[in-house]
Amino acid sequence: MPPATTRRASTPAYRRLSVEERRSQLLDAALSLFAHRPPEEVSLDDVAEAAGVSRPLVYRYFPGGKQQLYEAALRTAADALEQCFDEPPHGPLTARLSRALTRYLAFVDEHDTGFSALLQGGSVVSTSRTSAIVDEVRAVAAARILAHLPVAEPGPRLQLMVRTWISAVEAASLIWLDEGKQPPQEELRDWLLDHFLAVTTATAASDPQTAEVLRAALELEEPGGIAASLAGRVLPVVSDAAHLL
């Protein structure tokens, strides 16, 4: 048997956590569980076990029980999702969107089951408050994308276009998860970027403000960049439709 000094050295020293540290620990444990299991299948005992604490301690920090813990975890996840769309206003617009989508899809990949439950609803722990949190994420994402466009006051068609694209990103993400995360994440991102350019171009055809936004965005694009790649792939496809003009 090893000497007592050796046994003591191999035992991790207990460190008392501050209130915020403990709360963050519990939220991290809950998020990890909610990310891979539907909310209704996660119990407070599961969270306590994952965090290495007792069930009464979880109640001490979340006296409202599982519902309060779920809403707090959802708020944390929403904050992380909103941060995905934080991007400096420099360089080509498509490059900015590409970086934002890379972060967004990485979040979707990491929180697959929880992301599906979050957006599809139907959970027994879903409430008007949880729905409001989800709606806030969508609104923040739209506002941050619109902030990258060179317009002081986005009109209704431009706002509709951006919000429609965000809905398409959500839907594509859910289908991607349902299809076993195929195609690869990078291909999905690039397709969503193509989709943004396509829907912007279609809207620009009938909305002068969107047309100005598109012209300004294309001026910042680089040869061989994302927009150039799409144009090079689309032009051969539509060249045979010249008789329609």
Side-chain angles (χ1 to χ4, degrees):
M1 177 178 295
T5 54
T6 303
R7 291 200 304 273
R8 284 196 297 270
S10 64
T11 302
Y14 176 78
R15 184 171 71 90
R16 184 180 295 277
L17 300 180
S18 68
V19 171
E20 284 304 313
E21 288 175 329
R22 181 67 73 188
R23 190 173 189 277
S24 295
Q25 178 199 29
L26 295 175
L27 285 175
D28 287 344
L31 272 174
S32 179
L33 293 169
F34 289 135
H36 301 101
R37 290 157 57 183
E40 55 268 28
E41 294 182 7
V42 177
S43 69
L44 287 183
D45 286 332
D46 294 329
V47 175
E49 181 180 356
V53 300
S54 66
R55 179 187 175 97
L57 183 63
V58 179
Y59 264 112
R60 183 187 306 173
Y61 282 83
F62 298 96
K66 176 178 172 178
Q67 185 65 40
Q68 183 185 8
L69 179 59
Y70 176 67
E71 290 178 11
L74 183 60
R75 176 71 267 170
T76 300
D79 290 342
L81 266 175
E82 291 173 8
Q83 290 173 8
C84 291
F85 293 93
D86 282 343
E87 184 65 33
H90 308 295
L93 176 61
T94 53
R96 301 178 222 170
L97 288 177
S98 178
R99 290 189 290 269
L101 279 174
T102 296
R103 293 188 291 267
Y104 178 87
L105 292 174
F107 181 95
V108 173
D109 185 27
E110 182 181 356
H111 301 82
D112 45 15
T113 302
F115 181 85
S116 297
L118 167 66
L119 291 187
Q120 291 177 323
S123 168
V124 296
V125 292
S126 295
T127 66
S128 59
R129 292 187 298 274
T130 60
S131 297
I133 292 174
V134 176
D135 288 340
E136 178 193 315
V137 173
R138 295 173 178 138
V140 168
R144 291 184 180 172
I145 291 173
L146 287 167
H148 283 271
L149 307 183
V151 289
E153 297 183 8
R157 291 193 181 184
L158 186 57
Q159 292 190 57
L160 178 62
M161 183 271 292
V162 170
R163 293 178 64 183
T164 298
W165 181 70
I166 290 172
S167 297
V169 171
E170 285 186 7
S173 300
L174 291 171
I175 295 171
W176 182 67
L177 292 175
D178 193 48
E179 294 296 324
K181 300 181 181 179
Q182 291 298 322
Q185 190 177 128
E186 294 78 10
E187 289 185 24
L188 175 61
R189 177 201 62 202
D190 293 345
W191 180 80
L192 289 170
L193 288 169
D194 288 347
H195 187 274
F196 179 84
L197 289 170
V199 73
T200 303
T201 302
T203 307
S206 58
D207 180 49
Q209 185 183 56
T210 306
E212 290 181 13
V213 166
L214 181 59
R215 291 190 188 96
L218 291 177
E219 287 179 2
L220 295 176
E221 292 294 319
E222 302 171 349
I226 295 171
S229 173
L230 177 61
R233 285 178 281 122
V234 168
L235 288 177
V237 176
V238 300
S239 62
D240 292 337
H243 66 285
L244 297 176
L245 299 178

